[in-house]
Amino acid sequence: MSSDNPKIDTPMATLSVGGKTIDMPVRSGTVGPDVIDVGRLYKETGCFNYDPGFTSTANCSSKITYIDGDAGMLLHRGYPIDQLAVQSNFLEVCFLLLNGELPNEPEYEEFQLAITRHTMLHEQMTRFYTGFRRDAHPMAVMCGVVGALSAFYHDSTDINDPEQRTIAARRLIAKMPTIAAMAYKYSVGQPFIYPRNDLDFSANFLQMCFAVPCAPYTVDPVIARALDRIFILHADHEQNASTSTVRLAGSSGANPFACIAAGIACLWGPAHGGANEAALNMLTEIGTVDRIPEYIKKAKDKTSGFRLMGFGHRVYKNYDPRAKVMQKTCHEVLDALGIRNEPLLQVAMELERIALEDDYFVEKKLYPNIDFYSGITLRAIGFPVEMFTVLFAVARTVGWVAQWKEMIEDPEQRIGRPRQLYIGAPLRDYVPRGQRG
Ligand code: CMC
């Protein structure tokens, strides 16, 4: 219903606190839950909104990704993830996330060319790697080297220039695989392999990781396609911890390279991107199907501190739609590589079956997430566990960058500055050291 004064039609939520009543506008998106705009809460009531972990807090409006956790639905710019994973390719999804629409042929060609042209790193950056210990975790190397990009590409750090923002976005998407592959090569003591612009995004990444100068290397197209699909599945996921970190870092006006380095640091944790590594380690530790009940029991025991890694999600209270595609991809990769009866896959499938029939997991709506099957797949392709979260970072870079750009271009954008419930000592006078009890 239209009105001359739109405010009259705006639904309101009413809150009474400390004898004061405040009406707050309820805003609707295109789909999904409404939000209550609490922006005037403090000014009008003197109270803050308290929500540790942001379980009920929307921090921004966004047009990029939509998740319906109850339905197990994930949409990028409206397109379901399973359609994108099967019918699209990673670069096309990158274009979609960045620009809002799928590219037509000339747009795709221009984008592909631009990404390809930015794959090389400034040669001086290669010397960064030798400053790290060989046994450094590649995510530690990623945090350092990606942060250092801002020391090299000064012509794309002005966040107020739209042209520079676009160049920075493209540089990050293009250079991240090169940085990641070099981190891997350094850790195994092999020479760096330069990017090859005649290969597509995922095939190029495979050759930078697995080719050596002394022998020919041919990329297996089935594996390249599988890796491309894995990248699509990880490309963006709405306001998750690392994306929110990138947005918060960017809200101060920090340059995009520094912001993405902050996102990488956040992704590293085992509750987030580090879960794929933790899930594979857990499956390896379980080892055989007969030990599963012991681990299920441990996961249900709160005093054990143990959780089933690759299980549960803050938003999905249904099967993670990415996990479904990942499980299929896992089977395809193992088949293509001729790996029969992979013991870890047997453990994973049986663990999933038992957990999904167990009251504890059913009641808490804990389902496998994307990390449950990704580790087995990546290991079969040849990546060591330490590289799993690095691959997640390579894929998520486009999501971080798209969300960062959207934030910078949002007229409502302000520096992110949460408040707190202070529970420390109230005002008291300083006592000189000799007079303290
Ligand atoms: N194993 C056993 N119990 C669990 C698990 C699990 N994996 N996950 C949640 N629970 C229990 C938890 O103990 C709690 O029980 P109660 O209500 O009795 O206290 C309840 O389920 C709700 O858990 P929560 O920790 O309050 O939920 P959250 O939304 O804060 O955490 C999560 C979500 C993903 C961090 C958590 O499920 C978890 O730690 N999972 C394992 C790590 C993992 O697989 N992470 C990858 C997430 S998907 C990839 C990504 O986006 O990064």
Side-chain angles (χ1 to χ4, degrees):
M1 201 169 70
S2 68
S3 160
D4 290 338
N5 182 356
K7 279 187 185 152
I8 292 172
D9 286 338
T10 306
M12 292 287 180
T14 305
L15 177 83
S16 295
V17 57
K20 288 183 191 145
T21 298
I22 170 177
D23 286 330
M24 295 170 293
V26 178
R27 292 167 58 174
S28 299
T30 39
V31 279
D34 292 343
V35 299
I36 301 169
D37 184 343
V38 298
R40 287 170 26 249
L41 187 64
Y42 175 59
K43 215 172 178 180
E44 299 199 8
T45 67
C47 291
F48 294 132
N49 185 47
Y50 184 64
D51 183 20
F54 310 115
T55 54
S56 299
T57 297
N59 182 41
C60 60
S61 49
S62 178
K63 294 180 180 167
I64 301 174
T65 292
Y66 173 71
I67 304 173
D68 181 335
D70 293 324
M73 177 198 278
L74 168 61
L75 310 178
H76 291 320
R77 303 284 191 182
Y79 296 103
I81 188 65
D82 45 326
Q83 288 184 22
L84 292 173
V86 175
Q87 297 176 44
S88 187
N89 67 47
F90 182 66
L91 267 197
E92 193 177 62
V93 172
C94 288
F95 186 98
L96 174 70
L97 289 169
L98 284 171
N99 300 296
E101 296 298 336
L102 287 165
N104 59 27
E105 208 54 62
E107 285 170 335
Y108 181 74
E109 273 170 28
E110 188 278 329
F111 185 66
Q112 189 180 35
L113 194 67
I115 296 298
T116 306
R117 280 200 184 136
H118 282 114
T119 49
M120 288 217 332
L121 278 189
H122 191 294
E123 191 60 18
Q124 224 174 306
M125 286 200 80
T126 58
R127 291 190 220 142
F128 267 72
Y129 289 83
T130 50
F132 292 102
R133 282 171 54 144
R134 290 264 179 207
D135 60 356
H137 195 290
M139 282 299 277
V141 176
M142 294 294 287
C143 290
V145 178
V146 174
L149 288 172
S150 44
F152 283 84
Y153 299 99
H154 299 148
D155 58 344
S156 53
T157 52
D158 179 357
I159 63 157
N160 298 313
D161 178 348
E163 179 72 20
Q164 293 202 27
R165 290 201 295 271
T166 299
I167 297 172
R170 291 177 169 197
R171 277 187 171 144
L172 277 157
I173 293 165
K175 293 185 195 310
M176 201 61 81
T178 315
I179 295 171
M182 287 166 77
Y184 171 61
K185 285 298 198 192
Y186 184 71
S187 73
V188 291
Q190 290 181 4
F192 298 140
I193 300 292
Y194 285 88
R196 260 185 50 195
N197 291 352
D198 59 319
L199 296 176
D200 67 33
F201 189 90
S202 300
N204 174 50
F205 183 61
L206 285 169
Q207 81 90 28
M208 285 194 293
C209 287
F210 299 124
V212 285
C214 51
Y217 175 79
T218 312
V219 179
D220 179 336
V222 179
I223 301 304
R225 177 72 194 115
L227 185 64
D228 205 67
R229 191 173 292 165
I230 292 170
F231 285 153
I232 294 174
L233 295 177
H234 288 85
D236 190 48
H237 212 226
E238 203 227 62
Q239 307 310 319
N240 56 86
S242 57
T243 301
S244 299
T245 301
V246 169
R247 278 186 177 256
L248 193 59
S251 77
S252 73
N255 77 68
F257 304 111
C259 295
I260 301 307
I264 291 173
C266 178
L267 186 74
W268 194 359
H272 191 8
N276 50 18
E277 182 174 343
L280 194 89
N281 289 338
M282 177 194 75
L283 293 172
T284 310
E285 191 184 310
I286 298 174
T288 48
V289 168
D290 57 299
R291 296 189 64 201
I292 292 173
E294 181 194 328
Y295 281 83
I296 294 269
K297 198 170 156 210
K298 223 164 105 179
K300 295 191 307 192
D301 174 8
K302 291 274 184 292
T303 60
S304 72
F306 172 78
R307 286 185 168 200
L308 276 195
M309 299 315 284
F311 250 78
H313 198 275
R314 169 64 62 79
V315 183
Y316 293 119
K317 300 304 165 198
N318 199 329
Y319 212 103
D320 180 340
R322 304 168 301 170
K324 277 190 189 150
V325 184
M326 183 57 81
Q327 191 196 43
K328 205 165 157 264
T329 305
C330 181
H331 285 287
E332 280 168 14
V333 166
L334 296 184
D335 283 351
L337 295 172
I339 302 173
R340 308 261 171 266
N341 304 323
E342 158 64 77
L344 292 191
L345 182 62
Q346 285 171 4
V347 172
M349 286 172 61
E350 186 61 5
L351 183 61
E352 175 186 341
R353 193 189 64 74
I354 294 175
L356 293 183
E357 285 175 0
D358 189 291
D359 284 350
Y360 174 94
F361 292 90
V362 173
E363 274 160 27
K364 295 185 191 305
K365 299 185 178 170
L366 299 169
Y367 292 85
N369 59 49
I370 188 168
D371 293 320
F372 195 63
Y373 287 102
S374 62
I376 300 174
T377 318
L378 295 175
R379 197 183 72 153
I381 293 175
F383 291 105
V385 276
E386 299 76 35
M387 279 297 287
F388 293 177
T389 315
V390 174
L391 269 83
F392 194 155
V394 168
R396 184 55 58 85
T397 296
V398 63
W400 290 330
V401 163
Q403 301 265 354
W404 169 81
K405 269 181 98 244
E406 183 180 64
M407 180 200 64
I408 299 291
E409 288 156 18
D410 182 350
E412 285 189 350
Q413 192 270 324
R414 301 167 73 188
I415 186 167
R417 193 355 180 144
R419 302 305 297 263
Q420 62 172 8
L421 173 67
Y422 178 67
I423 54 170
L427 178 68
R428 50 182 169 167
D429 287 325
Y430 179 84
V431 180
R433 217 168 11 254
Q435 296 171 27
R436 290 174 210 157

